[in-house]
Amino acid sequence: MAVDVKVPSVGESVKEGMIHRWHVKDGDYVARDQVLVELETDKATVEVVAETAGAITLSRKQGDTVAVGEVIAKIDTAAAKPAGGVPAAPISQPSSPQVPLPPTSATSLPQSPAVRRIVAETGIDPSKVEGTGRGGRLTKGDVLAQGSAPSAPSAPSAPSAPSAPSAPSAPSAPSAPRATGTGTRTRTERREPMSMMRRRIAERLIQSQSTAAILTTFNEIDMTAVLALRAQYKDSFKEKYGVSLGFMSFFVKAAIEGLKSFPAINGWIEGNEIVYHDFYDIGVAVSSDRGLVVPVVHDADQLSFAESETAIGNYGKRARDGKITIDELTGGTFTVSNGGVFGSLMSTPILNPPQSGILGMHKIQERPVAVNGQIVIRPMMYVALSYDHRIVDGREAVQFLVKVKECVEDPTRILLGV
């Protein structure tokens, strides 16, 4: 008897996905509940497991675009179990032809292209880094946490490709590198299919710029008070709550105070109507190896600092591990993005449709500033608010940033709601 392996339904709006990686080979004997394949949709990565044991026959290849409900493999339950009964081992991703492989770690687990690149650039020994990814694999965050990795861009991007129209479906495999000779120098180039998530990111960015009147306003914040609070309470905070006290929770709380004062920034346009929200579902932009995702902290105004830090930290880890679910990416009335973790000093964030505002945090840098007539050195951060000018006026945008600035520079305001 043959059992079909079908593409599962992962969300009402998701109609197709791409086979990101097969964990088994054609003809392997698989065990019940063994992970067979990773499917990448435009929102999340989904693992498909075997419903029964047997010999598997693959009908689609890695890189193929498949529809929800489509049969991608069959499992023959009548096949004899091999001697020893050892299930098939996961198949690692093929290495990129242009990225040198780092030394093999002690666990010999496969590494993503981003991890291999950072390891190759920094010379970090991966066997000395504890992996927090699925099955103990290294993630980009694990390597960056060593402290010796160079600053990365605000969001990982797919390898560049010539500006040709996108094909309706992804090619089954990257094309072979093409070498061109210029005297004694040989240059190579390669083509790789865009991931479903990267395609969706591209669509959303174009949608944002073509449907909204986006403007950006800036301010700067003296981070002295927040840094002093963290230095004073970080140890007791982590001991009590089991999570570090970061900067993001301060800015999420400060943004909510600003949204309460200027509700249009927490709303959006639908047709000829403005939809105002009396709740605060804050999207937190998180960078992963496969692209930028924005999980949503629902009812963020009801959470304590510890609950906010826990939720944000969990989302960051789940995003790096490819475990973010569709529900966790759904909704969101406002977004906060922190490019400062990658070293960005200033940027103009792009709206996350249909939202009308996004707050951009940046790197904390000591600068000379004038305080009470004196030149002093203070830890300063530039902040940016991009907003939809169709619904938000410049006056509201500027005053919103001033409110955020006041709350972060004097965190007591957050507690008192003033």
Side-chain angles (χ1 to χ4, degrees):
M1 176 182 175
V3 176
D4 292 339
V5 178
K6 297 181 179 181
V7 177
S9 176
V10 294
E12 185 177 344
S13 62
V14 178
K15 304 301 181 184
E16 65 178 10
M18 185 175 70
I19 296 178
H20 176 68
R21 174 169 51 179
W22 280 105
H23 286 259
V24 295
K25 302 187 295 294
D26 192 55
D28 282 343
Y29 189 91
V30 299
R32 180 183 174 88
D33 296 328
Q34 179 182 345
V35 176
L36 303 177
V37 63
E38 289 181 30
L39 297 175
E40 184 178 78
T41 71
D42 58 1
K43 294 183 178 180
T45 301
V46 180
E47 292 181 341
V48 179
V49 300
E51 297 181 2
T52 185
I56 190 167
T57 302
L58 311 184
S59 56
R60 301 304 298 267
K61 301 184 296 296
Q62 182 171 303
D64 284 357
T65 299
V66 291
V68 171
E70 181 178 341
V71 176
I72 57 177
K74 291 181 180 292
I75 298 176
D76 182 4
T77 58
K81 188 176 183 179
V86 181
I91 299 174
S92 62
Q93 284 279 50
S95 60
S96 169
Q98 285 189 318
V99 180
L101 289 174
T104 304
S105 67
T107 56
S108 299
L109 292 173
Q111 297 168 358
S112 70
V115 170
R116 291 198 301 269
R117 175 177 57 79
I118 295 176
V119 169
E121 290 175 353
T122 61
I124 293 176
D125 184 355
S127 66
K128 297 180 180 179
V129 183
E130 182 180 355
T132 61
R134 183 168 48 252
R137 291 178 174 85
L138 290 182
T139 67
K140 186 176 72 172
D142 296 332
V143 182
L144 291 176
Q146 289 294 101
S148 59
S151 297
S154 61
S157 59
S160 60
S163 54
S166 299
S169 62
S172 58
S175 61
R178 184 182 71 181
T180 58
T182 55
T184 59
R185 178 184 178 188
T186 300
R187 301 184 299 173
T188 61
E189 63 181 32
R190 69 184 188 277
R191 293 172 183 257
E192 294 184 2
M194 289 180 69
S195 67
M196 297 293 293
M197 185 177 293
R198 178 57 59 186
R199 293 185 220 173
R200 184 58 173 163
I201 290 173
E203 292 173 3
R204 297 277 285 179
L205 294 180
I206 295 298
Q207 176 190 354
S208 176
Q209 292 183 314
S210 62
T211 60
I214 304 177
L215 273 74
T216 305
T217 186
F218 299 91
N219 210 318
E220 62 178 354
I221 296 177
D222 185 344
M223 298 294 292
T224 300
V226 170
L227 289 173
L229 270 177
R230 292 182 72 240
Q232 183 176 357
Y233 295 110
K234 65 179 181 180
D235 293 335
S236 56
F237 187 90
K238 186 167 186 177
E239 180 179 353
K240 182 174 182 178
Y241 298 109
V243 63
S244 299
L245 179 60
F247 297 111
M248 187 65 78
S249 56
F250 285 95
F251 280 88
V252 168
K253 292 292 186 182
I256 291 171
E257 293 302 315
L259 296 175
K260 290 177 179 178
S261 300
F262 305 98
I265 305 176
N266 196 46
W268 57 57
I269 293 176
E270 285 187 3
N272 292 322
E273 296 180 331
I274 298 176
V275 180
Y276 294 96
H277 304 102
D278 58 3
F279 52 88
Y280 304 92
D281 292 347
I282 308 300
V284 180
V286 176
S287 178
S288 71
D289 290 345
R290 297 175 187 172
L292 190 71
V293 294
V294 187
V296 179
V297 180
H298 294 280
D299 295 316
D301 58 315
Q302 304 296 315
L303 302 181
S304 65
F305 274 80
E307 290 169 331
S308 294
E309 289 291 351
T310 299
I312 294 168
N314 286 341
Y315 280 147
K317 184 178 185 303
R318 288 168 61 80
R320 290 190 294 270
D321 294 345
K323 295 289 188 179
I324 290 289
T325 66
I326 299 296
D327 290 341
E328 291 169 334
L329 297 172
T330 302
T333 59
F334 184 81
T335 295
V336 179
S337 178
N338 184 8
V341 296
F342 302 108
S344 172
L345 188 61
M346 184 178 289
S347 65
T348 56
I350 299 178
L351 293 180
N352 183 22
Q355 296 174 18
S356 298
I358 178 172
L359 177 67
M361 301 163 54
H362 299 93
K363 180 182 178 181
I364 301 173
Q365 189 175 58
E366 289 190 342
R367 295 197 297 271
V369 295
V371 178
N372 298 324
Q374 301 291 324
I375 301 297
V376 296
I377 304 298
R378 291 291 175 85
M380 305 298 293
M381 175 194 287
Y382 289 117
V383 288
L385 175 72
S386 290
Y387 60 97
D388 189 346
H389 207 356
R390 297 177 302 165
I391 181 176
V392 180
D393 292 330
R395 174 183 61 84
E396 295 173 299
V398 170
Q399 290 179 330
F400 170 88
L401 268 191
V402 170
K403 185 72 171 180
V404 171
K405 173 184 171 71
E406 291 174 346
C407 288
V408 176
E409 290 186 342
D410 183 8
T412 306
R413 289 177 174 268
I414 300 174
L415 300 177
L416 299 179
V418 297

